[in-house]
């Protein structure tokens, strides 16, 4: 018999638990509550299954297209779009909630903003989840009965659903969420869903609490309620849990979260621990406690994976060391000499710890460059195995960090004060994460980067140029568009760009367009060659994409990593051309 999947096993356990509870002289309302609990997990599992099927179809298509195009210079067959799929992408998959705005923040000031709007597809998914929870909360409630009979049913239903929803709530906040890789959905999207599941849990907790408080006060007054709180652990812990959840909602507001992120994060974790502990005691001897146990198990396993990753990546060979250099334009170049080899893929990011700068805090950064250096400390003789070969190499990973607030400001100040202009510190890395989107199957690739967003695109450029030389990618034309404020920002990636420009056959495939939005004089704007051109001002995104789409080779992939306004401009230009040619859109963003 084939082994069962984790999703199947989870559902089987829930189904078994529901049957067990129903068999122990449960009342009809309890049986109904457990049935609804099972259904909400079944519905979520069905949605995951549908997305997994979609993922397999897309992956199969990309794989076949890559193989077909390796030795095909024109790739004409893949220029024409599938009309039905193009309409789906234009009006649903790539569409913002309204006309254009999605990733551009609603700013109150340079430091404060109110977050972003979800896409149309995200909005529909969230509406389904919200609608499902509302339906499960209100259906089959005996509204025609007196409050003393109706309120307990509503209380049990909302309380149980709040606990059940803790499972997806915790899972979607996890960096090592297995659904990220399985469904090819970024952590950024799961983080959005985590916030909304959190709001659902809070609302259900409030209704659950009110369904106890209102009848209690109606029957015995406020003194009766006070007595219940003082003399019942069940009531006291439930009230503490609800209050903690409500405080989390207010301290998680976007304007607070972005203005005081590190304070928010530590308080958020402390409040979540308080809420979970209170709810655990609130559910003592109740069957719903096993759902909370499932959520806690997910949290414990995920944290253990992170701890193992940190130990594995950073212990041995003297540990991971960082060299930090201050660069023009309030930026830093961080070169990490890794303790262990790391098989790097374009688009990946890591979480960086520097205890001497930020204590236990960690922050995500895209890996801009990776290369192997000879390991002078290796005592291996003649390498006779892959492990021996890896032992003779020392992996270097490089990051570009823009100074903002908090950790990055402290790091920048220490780097500026370093005696030789280089700060040497002990570091720890956690990862790798990301790297979901590959661009090898596209005959034409356009990459847009704004400012430090270039760190995401540079590894893709190197991979495609190398792949073109070795005939391992479908790409025949690559265009990199980088928007910077000042020419001095070009220094951030100069050594790596020099390496790319020296690659074989680079001129046949790669063209670089640099746009400087705030040049000090026109003399700063000069184009080194026909394949590397510099322009003043901002790019006309729609025109640039239109020019490439008119003469595209094969399927066209357009990637963007940068400010929200740039991403929204690229998204709009791609949507307008969906039914005219085969164009895919990839947006790299990290919201918090």
């Amino acid at each position: 018999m084939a082994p069962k999947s984790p999703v199947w096993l989870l559902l089987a356990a829930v189904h078994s638990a529901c049957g067990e509870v129903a068999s122990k002289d449960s009342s009809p309302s309890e049986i109904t509550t457990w049935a609804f609990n099972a259904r909400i997990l079944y519905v979520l599992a069905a949605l995951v299954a549908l997305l997994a099927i979609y993922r397999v179809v897309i992956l199969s298509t990309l794989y076949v297209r890559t193989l077909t195009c390796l030795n095909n210079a024109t790739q004409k067959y893949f220029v024409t779009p599938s009309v039905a799929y193009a309409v789906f992408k234009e009006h649903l998959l790539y569409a913002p909630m309204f006309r254009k705005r999605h990733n551009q923040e609603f700013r109150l000031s340079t430091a404060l903003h109110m977050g972003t709007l979800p896409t149309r597809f995200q909005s529909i998914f969230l509406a389904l989840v919200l609608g499902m929870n509302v339906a499960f909360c209100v259906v089959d409630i005996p509204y025609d009965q007196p409050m003393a009979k109706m309120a307990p049913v509503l209380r049990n239903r909302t309380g149980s659903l709040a606990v059940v929803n803790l499972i997806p709530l915790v899972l979607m906040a996890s960096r090592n969420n297995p659904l990220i890789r399985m469904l090819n959905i970024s952590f950024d999207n799961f983080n959005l869903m985590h916030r909304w599941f959190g709001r659902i849990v809070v609302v259900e907790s409030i209704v659950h609490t009110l369904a106890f408080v209102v009848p209690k006060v109606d029957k015995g007054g406020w003194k009766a309620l006070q007595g219940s709180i003082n003399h019942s652990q069940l009531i006291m812990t439930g009230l503490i849990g609800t209050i903690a959840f409500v405080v989390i909602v207010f301290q998680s507001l976007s304007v607070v979260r972005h203005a005081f992120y590190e304070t928010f994060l530590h308080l958020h974790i402390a409040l979540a621990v308080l809420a979970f502990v209170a709810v655990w005691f609130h559910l003592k001897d109740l069957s719903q406690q096993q759902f909370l146990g499932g959520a806690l198990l997910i949290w414990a396993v995920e944290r253990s994976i992170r701890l193992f990753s940190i130990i594995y990546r950073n212990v041995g060979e003297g540990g991971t060391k960082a060299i930090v250099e201050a660069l023009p334009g309030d930026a830093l170049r961080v070169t990490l000499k890794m303790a262990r080899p790391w098989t790097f893929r374009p688009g990946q990011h890591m979480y960086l710890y520097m205890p001497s700068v930020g204590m236990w805090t960690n922050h995500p950064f895209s890996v801009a460059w990776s290369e192997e250096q000879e390991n002078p400390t290796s005592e291996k003789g003649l390498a006779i195995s892959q492990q021996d070969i890896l032992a003779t190499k020392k992996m270097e990973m490089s990051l570009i960090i823009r100074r903002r607030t908090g950790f990055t400001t402290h790091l920048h100040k220490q780097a500026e004060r370093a005696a030789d202009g280089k700060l040497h510190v002990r570091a720890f890395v956690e990862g790798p994460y990301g790297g979901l989107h590959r661009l090898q199957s596209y005959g034409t690739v356009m990459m847009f980067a704004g400012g430090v967003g270039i760190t995401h695109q540079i590894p893709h450029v190197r991979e495609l140029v190398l792949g073109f030389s070795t005939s391992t990618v479908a790409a025949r034309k690559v265009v990199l568009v980088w928007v910077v404020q000042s020419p001095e920002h070009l220094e951030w990636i100069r050594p790596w760009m020099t390496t790319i420009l020296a690659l074989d056959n680079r001129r046949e495939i790669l063209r670089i367009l640099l746009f400087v939005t705030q040049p000090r004089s026109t003399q700063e704007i000069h184009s080194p060659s026909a394949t590397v051109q510099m322009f003043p001002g901002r790019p006309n995104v729609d025109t640039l994409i239109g020019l490439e789409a008119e003469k595209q080779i094969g399927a066209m992939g357009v990637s963007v990593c940068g400010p929200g306004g740039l991403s929204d401009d690229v998204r709009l230009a791609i949507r307008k051309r969906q039914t005219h040619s085969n164009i895919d859109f990839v947006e790299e963003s990290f919201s918090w």
Side-chain angles (χ1 to χ4, degrees):
M1 180 180 293
K4 302 298 184 181
S5 69
V7 173
W8 189 95
L9 293 174
L10 173 63
L11 293 177
V14 172
H15 183 75
S16 174
C18 292
E20 180 184 348
V21 172
S23 66
K24 293 182 179 178
D25 301 324
S26 302
S27 68
S29 64
E30 289 174 333
I31 296 173
T32 302
T33 297
W34 274 92
F36 275 111
N37 290 344
R39 288 175 189 174
I40 196 169
L41 290 179
Y42 274 118
V43 171
L44 290 175
L47 290 174
V48 169
L50 288 174
L51 290 172
I53 293 171
Y54 173 79
R55 162 74 166 152
V56 170
V57 171
I58 294 298
L59 275 181
S60 302
T61 302
L62 297 181
Y63 180 72
V64 171
R65 188 171 71 198
T66 302
L67 292 180
T68 306
C69 295
L70 290 180
N71 298 306
N72 186 338
T74 58
Q75 306 175 21
K76 290 183 178 179
Y77 175 80
F78 297 102
V79 176
T80 304
S82 165
V83 176
Y85 188 48
V87 171
F88 169 73
K89 291 192 294 182
E90 178 183 359
H91 297 288
L92 193 62
L93 189 61
Y94 296 161
M97 182 183 290
F98 302 113
R99 182 179 178 275
K100 176 183 176 183
R101 192 167 195 151
H102 161 58
N103 210 26
Q104 184 176 4
E105 302 92 347
F106 290 91
R107 288 200 170 274
L108 302 177
S109 68
T110 55
L112 302 177
H113 67 76
M114 295 294 293
T116 60
L117 291 174
T119 65
R120 199 167 296 169
F121 188 81
Q122 290 171 339
S123 300
I124 291 174
F125 179 84
L126 292 173
L128 287 173
V129 172
L130 288 169
M132 178 174 62
N133 274 272
V134 170
F136 287 171
C137 283
V138 302
V139 169
D140 203 28
I141 300 294
Y143 297 105
D144 57 340
Q145 298 295 319
M147 183 179 295
K149 292 185 177 181
M150 182 273 289
V153 179
L154 180 62
R155 182 177 70 242
N156 292 340
R157 182 80 58 78
T158 53
S160 295
L161 285 172
V163 176
V164 169
N165 278 313
L166 291 176
I167 294 176
L169 173 72
V170 173
L171 181 64
M172 291 176 181
S174 304
R175 297 174 187 174
N176 294 285
N177 177 359
L179 298 180
I180 293 176
R181 183 67 58 184
M182 183 191 304
L183 305 180
N184 202 43
I185 296 176
S186 68
F187 176 74
D188 188 64
N189 285 293
F190 278 109
N191 201 21
L192 169 70
M193 290 184 276
H194 163 74
R195 294 195 292 269
W196 279 97
F197 267 98
R199 292 159 187 158
I200 291 171
V201 167
V202 172
V203 171
E204 289 171 342
S205 300
I206 292 173
V207 175
H208 173 73
T209 303
L210 291 177
F212 168 77
V213 170
V214 172
K216 192 72 173 179
V217 172
D218 182 64
K219 182 179 180 180
W222 291 101
K223 287 186 177 181
L225 176 63
Q226 183 66 43
S228 296
I229 295 173
N230 292 337
H231 298 97
S232 171
Q233 175 181 291
L234 175 76
I235 306 304
M236 173 64 77
T237 54
L239 184 61
I240 292 173
T242 299
I243 292 173
F245 280 135
V246 171
V247 175
I248 286 176
V249 166
F250 286 101
Q251 67 100 204
S252 300
L253 292 174
S254 181
V255 64
V256 177
R257 195 169 68 244
H258 289 86
F260 312 100
Y261 177 72
E262 292 179 3
T263 302
F264 148 77
L265 182 61
H266 292 96
L267 183 58
H268 190 76
I269 294 173
L271 288 169
V273 170
L274 173 62
F276 275 57
V277 170
V279 173
W280 178 266
F281 285 102
H282 177 68
L283 297 175
K284 184 180 180 181
D285 299 327
L286 296 177
S287 51
Q288 288 90 337
Q289 194 179 55
Q290 64 184 295
F291 287 106
L292 178 58
L296 292 173
L297 178 62
I298 292 172
W299 181 88
V301 170
E302 198 274 337
R303 290 282 169 164
S304 298
I305 293 173
R306 287 172 56 180
L307 179 60
F308 173 80
S309 173
I310 293 171
I311 295 173
Y312 176 78
R313 293 291 180 194
N314 303 280
V315 174
E317 295 291 336
T320 300
K321 299 179 177 63
I323 301 174
V324 186
E325 306 170 70
L327 299 175
D330 282 341
L332 297 162
R333 182 188 294 121
V334 179
T335 303
L336 296 162
K337 297 184 180 297
M338 307 292 291
R340 290 181 183 269
W342 181 336
T343 303
F344 171 70
R345 297 195 308 174
Q348 287 185 331
H349 64 273
M350 64 170 65
Y351 285 82
L352 179 65
Y353 300 74
M354 286 186 176
S356 62
V357 180
M359 300 179 69
W360 59 82
T361 62
N362 58 94
H363 302 267
F365 299 106
S366 295
V367 179
W369 196 258
S370 68
E371 58 186 352
E372 292 180 339
Q373 304 285 346
E374 292 297 329
N375 185 1
T377 64
S378 175
E379 298 180 356
K380 294 284 183 181
L382 180 64
I384 59 175
S385 68
Q386 185 177 9
Q387 280 189 329
D388 291 339
I389 294 173
L390 290 175
T392 63
K393 302 291 184 180
K394 191 77 171 178
M395 176 67 74
E396 285 192 358
M397 316 288 280
S398 297
L399 320 172
I400 298 295
I401 301 175
R402 193 77 187 270
R403 187 180 73 171
R404 301 299 183 190
T405 58
F407 169 78
T408 56
T409 295
H410 298 320
L411 183 60
H412 192 274
K413 289 180 179 178
Q414 290 195 27
E416 286 185 319
R417 291 196 299 262
D420 59 350
K422 294 183 178 181
L423 175 67
H424 296 258
V425 295
R426 180 70 183 270
F428 298 87
V429 298
E430 177 195 330
Y433 297 104
L436 300 178
H437 303 289
R438 310 304 294 273
L439 303 174
Q440 305 102 313
S441 68
Y442 298 99
T444 302
V445 178
M446 284 195 77
M447 287 174 274
F448 289 84
V452 79
I454 192 64
T455 56
H456 178 77
Q457 308 294 24
I458 280 291
H460 285 291
V461 173
R462 178 172 64 168
E463 180 184 58
L464 293 175
V465 174
L466 288 172
F468 175 74
S469 296
T470 57
S471 299
T472 55
V473 299
R476 297 296 181 269
K477 182 166 50 171
V478 177
V479 180
L480 173 64
V481 181
W482 186 20
V483 186
V484 295
Q485 293 179 339
S486 169
E488 65 182 9
H489 295 176
L490 304 180
E491 294 295 328
W492 298 350
I493 62 166
R494 185 176 295 278
W496 310 325
M497 186 58 71
T498 300
T499 301
I500 290 174
L501 295 178
L503 293 175
D504 293 338
N505 303 315
R506 186 270 308 173
R507 292 179 181 274
E508 298 178 31
I509 182 175
L510 177 63
R511 189 155 56 94
I512 301 173
L513 307 178
L514 304 171
F515 289 85
V516 181
T517 60
Q518 299 175 14
R520 287 169 294 189
S521 68
T522 56
Q523 294 181 350
E524 292 184 319
I525 309 300
H526 56 52
S527 299
S529 67
T531 56
V532 181
Q533 297 177 296
M534 186 181 294
F535 307 92
R538 299 181 183 277
N540 187 320
V541 171
D542 186 73
T543 299
L544 292 176
I545 293 177
L547 290 172
E548 297 304 323
E550 288 177 2
K551 49 187 178 180
Q552 78 180 68
I553 300 172
M556 183 173 174
V558 182
S559 169
V560 60
C561 182
L566 176 64
S567 297
D568 290 349
D569 287 341
V570 174
R571 179 187 297 272
L572 180 62
I574 296 302
R575 290 182 59 223
K576 288 166 54 177
R577 293 172 172 80
Q578 281 302 305
T579 55
H580 298 93
S581 60
N582 188 4
I583 307 179
D584 287 342
F585 173 66
V586 178
E587 180 181 37
E588 181 68 22
S589 62
F590 192 93
S591 58
W592 33 272

